[in-house]
Amino acid sequence: MAKKRVVLTFPPELTEKPLTYHLVKDFDLAINILKAKITPGEEGTLVLELSNGSPQKIDEGLDFLVRHGVAIEPLSKRISLQEEECIHCGSCTAVCKSGALSLGEENRLVFDRDKCIVCELCVTACPMRVIKVIF
Amino acid sequence: MPMTKSYDEINEKIKTGKVVVVTAEEIIPMVEAEGPAKVLEKVDLVTTATFGPMCSSGAFLNFGHSDPPIRMTKVWLNDVPAYAGIAAVDAYIGATECSETRGLEYGGAHVIEDLISGKKVKLRAVSYGTDCYPKKEIETNVGLEDLNQAYLFNPRNVYQNYAVAVNSSDRIFHTYMGTLLPHYGNATYTTSGELSPLLNDPHYRTIGIGTKILLAGGEGYVAWEGTQHNPAQERNELGIPVSSGGTLALIGDLRGMKRDYLRAATYHKYGISLFVGVGIPIPLLDEEMVRQVAVSNKEISATVYDYGVQRRSRPALGRVTYAELHSGEICLNGKKIPTAPLSSLYKARKIATELKEKIQNGQFTITAPVAKLPYRDGVKPLREEV
């Protein structure tokens, strides 16, 4: 399954257009909204995970957005965990709604990077300050 | 005649290498399978442990005298103020004190962690100068090896049970119970449950003043009842408090402590705390003691409080067992809430196992309390005079 994570920036005049609808309908893309900040009349941002059987479909969908004036950047931010400094307290798991951070075998912290949606709540929830955002 | 064991008998077994020790988790299935009388014949000691954030911690330090000498009236360690309102070169560095230059990112807890890690810290002190202590200012670097005395003296550690925190409000709360998501988005809890020291000795029979313990990996002692010690807390049918009960004041030399079991922490928008690792052995004196250490997570309850209400008495919303808390989800008034611990069960188990091995190797003997912890009224609130 091809997958791509992107950060979309909408100019104010586009925030009221149903662009994601077209991504689903016209390009057959599965859309997972990781983060959204859209206020009518203001610039909006949307972090999406797009998936489809073919990478070509994803690129066509993104081209469609660019043609409509949406700026696209790959989601390059990611969460890094300094594992050797972790005390496995579990505080970060309290805020991790995506289930990327959990306590596993022997109650040790497990970080499943594929599930992480970079919401960044764990960064401040970690009392050891060993979780950081990397750009 | 029911079997009993004395502290002396158990210590004799430790010295001759015949002692049998298991952790407070390991004993549970043993007692379930064989009953307390059989287990008492086989097992002499149970080890308990916890590794959690304990704000009420700090260390007394003696710096030695400079030449000419100074009567330090204000002291900073790596820019963190230490209390110096005691004799000339004594100070107390409190865990939660913040750096004057780095705010919440560095504090007293970090100073203590740095010292036990073998790092030097910058000592700065000022004075008004006296005939016997003429020097008015000093700045130098000191490490643990330079100090005369350096001992942890924590006024309140090892809480016997504690709250489960949720947040009913419509915004995120940043608390000492971690990040609490709005609309009951999560629930946090903070004891090691069936492995926790005072939950295995609910009436303070063997844990008392003078009990030798493993404190942050080194040897320490129970010094006194902890502040806000509350044996009068409501108890369940097994005699176990259903929320914060007894507490301990602990003392121990910083030398010999390990960073693995003592770590500085910062709770976002709350402040600095110190994770302290504590291991306490419980001697199985008789069948009653075996029954108490066999307590399991499904028999220990904690009370859920709404931290979204910013008052001293937060609304109690219900009770849940540690078995439920460990399952990852609790059900409160029909609503499912995901749970997360704040204290490290992984580390607590390491401590309980390390203490078990020390006892098996004859490196750690046990002590009877020289005095019992008090068993009296609860905690008084602070009234404001108008």
Side-chain angles (χ1 to χ4, degrees), chain B residues 243-261:
Chain B
S243 191
S244 48
T247 69
L248 303 175
L250 304 180
I251 193 162
D253 203 324
L254 286 189
R255 297 178 182 97
M257 289 186 185
K258 295 178 200 149
R259 182 172 177 267
D260 260 357
Y261 302 129

Side-chain angles (χ1 to χ4, degrees), chain B residues 220-264:
Chain B
Y221 291 89
V222 175
W224 205 248
E225 64 182 279
T227 54
Q228 294 178 28
H229 176 63
N230 185 15
Q233 176 66 258
E234 186 189 340
R235 289 167 186 260
N236 69 9
E237 63 286 357
L238 294 174
I240 297 170
V242 294
S243 191
S244 48
T247 69
L248 303 175
L250 304 180
I251 193 162
D253 203 324
L254 286 189
R255 297 178 182 97
M257 289 186 185
K258 295 178 200 149
R259 182 172 177 267
D260 260 357
Y261 302 129
L262 185 146
R263 292 288 296 277

Side-chain angles (χ1 to χ4, degrees), chain A residues 85 87-90 94 97 108 127, chain B residues 185-186 259 263 266 341 344 346:
Chain A
E85 288 291 295
I87 59 168
H88 313 281
C89 64
K97 289 291 171 187
R108 286 171 67 97
Chain B
N186 59 3
R259 182 172 177 267
R263 292 288 296 277
T266 297
S344 174
Y346 168 73

Side-chain angles (χ1 to χ4, degrees), chain A residues 88-99:
Chain A
H88 313 281
C89 64
S91 297
C92 60
T93 67
V95 296
C96 186
K97 289 291 171 187
S98 73

